[in-house]
């Protein structure tokens, strides 16, 4: 088994990278809906990609804001690194050049989940817009092809976005160099056995009502 790599840049805690192929073939579920994430007892890491103007402000101030960031617009977070790579083209798409690893409190993340509704359920319940929009999308192979497994993404707005951007965020780290290095060294050449990605495991939602609400269980 490949040796895990660790980087203490995230709030002084280890950000663990492991072999993609070993996780994909031996650890991660093959299908179904799963929240895959790197987390510990206190925090969970989510990913976002922004323009350099927004990203640089977030790194400098360790919170989201500044003249280019709008709290009046929905902002999407993803727990799954490879979904973020698909969405941002490995940090190559316009205004997604800066890939951020955002460490937030587990309490904050669980609060986000407790408010999450799909667009269909918003209409069905007739309560207006939820502060958190839920989507289950196909997870993706590093080459961009879709998988049977579903990955979660969460659109934050209003008070929940404000709390995420300031209150719940404990560390914001620029991981763009790691993303670009892995893409250049291993993704372009399709050397999947050499590719490193963050260590991710299934995040278990223990509250049955929330698990049903976000469609993890029937």
């Amino acid at each position: 088994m490949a040796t895990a790599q660790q980087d203490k840049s995230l709030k002084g805690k280890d950000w663990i990278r492991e072999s993609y192929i070993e996780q994909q073939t031996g650890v991660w579920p093959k299908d179904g809906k799963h929240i895959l994430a790197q987390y510990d007892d206190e925090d969970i890491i989510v990913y976002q990609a922004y323009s350099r103007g927004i990203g640089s402000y977030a790194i400098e101030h360790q919170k989201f804001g500044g003249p280019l960031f709008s709290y009046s617009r929905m902002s999407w977070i993803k727990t799954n690194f490879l979904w973020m790579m698909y969405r941002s083209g490995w940090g190559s798409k316009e205004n997604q050049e800066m890939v951020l690893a955002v460490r937030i409190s587990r309490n904050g993340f669980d609060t986000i989940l407790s408010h999450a509704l799909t667009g269909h359920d918003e209409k069905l319940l007739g309560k207006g817009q939820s502060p958190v929009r839920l989507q289950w999308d196909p997870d993706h192979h590093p080459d961009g092809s879709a998988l049977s497994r579903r990955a979660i993404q969460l659109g934050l707005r209003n008070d929940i976005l404000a709390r995420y951007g300031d209150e719940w965020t404990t560390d914001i780290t620029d991981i763009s160099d790691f993303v670009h290095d892995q893409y250049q060294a291993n993704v372009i050449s399709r050397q999947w056995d050499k590719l490193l990605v963050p260590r991710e495991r299934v995040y278990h939602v223990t509250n049955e009502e929330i698990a049903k609400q976000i469609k993890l269980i029937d």
Side-chain angles (χ1 to χ4, degrees), residues 17-41:
R17 279 72 55 81
E18 292 182 344
S19 162
Y20 158 75
I21 203 71
E22 289 177 3
Q23 292 189 87
Q24 173 64 15
T25 59
V27 179
W28 296 336
K30 303 301 181 191
D31 51 29
K33 297 173 183 173
H34 302 279
I35 301 175
L36 286 180
Q38 184 166 150
Y39 61 93
D40 58 26
D41 291 340

Side-chain angles (χ1 to χ4, degrees), residues 112-158:
I112 290 169
L113 291 181
S114 73
H115 288 279
L117 292 173
T118 65
H120 173 74
D121 284 346
E122 286 179 349
K123 295 177 182 178
L124 191 65
L125 294 171
K127 295 182 178 179
Q129 288 187 335
S130 167
V132 182
R133 172 67 62 83
L134 165 71
Q135 287 186 194
W136 287 102
D137 299 287
D139 202 350
H140 286 81
H141 188 277
D143 67 8
S145 57
L147 304 176
S148 298
R149 184 176 61 240
R150 292 275 168 163
I152 197 169
Q153 67 166 333
L154 298 158
L156 315 183
R157 56 189 162 199
N158 303 332

Side-chain angles (χ1 to χ4, degrees), residues 60-98:
E60 179 180 354
H61 297 273
Q62 287 297 292
K63 64 180 181 180
F64 292 97
L68 299 177
F69 185 87
S70 174
Y71 275 102
S72 64
R73 296 178 59 187
M74 183 179 287
S75 183
W76 292 89
I77 62 173
K78 302 163 181 63
T79 66
N80 184 302
F81 175 81
L82 285 176
W83 208 106
M84 185 74 260
M85 295 305 97
Y86 166 74
R87 182 66 181 84
S88 68
W90 288 83
S92 67
K93 293 184 179 179
E94 185 178 3
N95 293 325
Q96 298 187 59
E97 303 90 352
M98 201 162 178

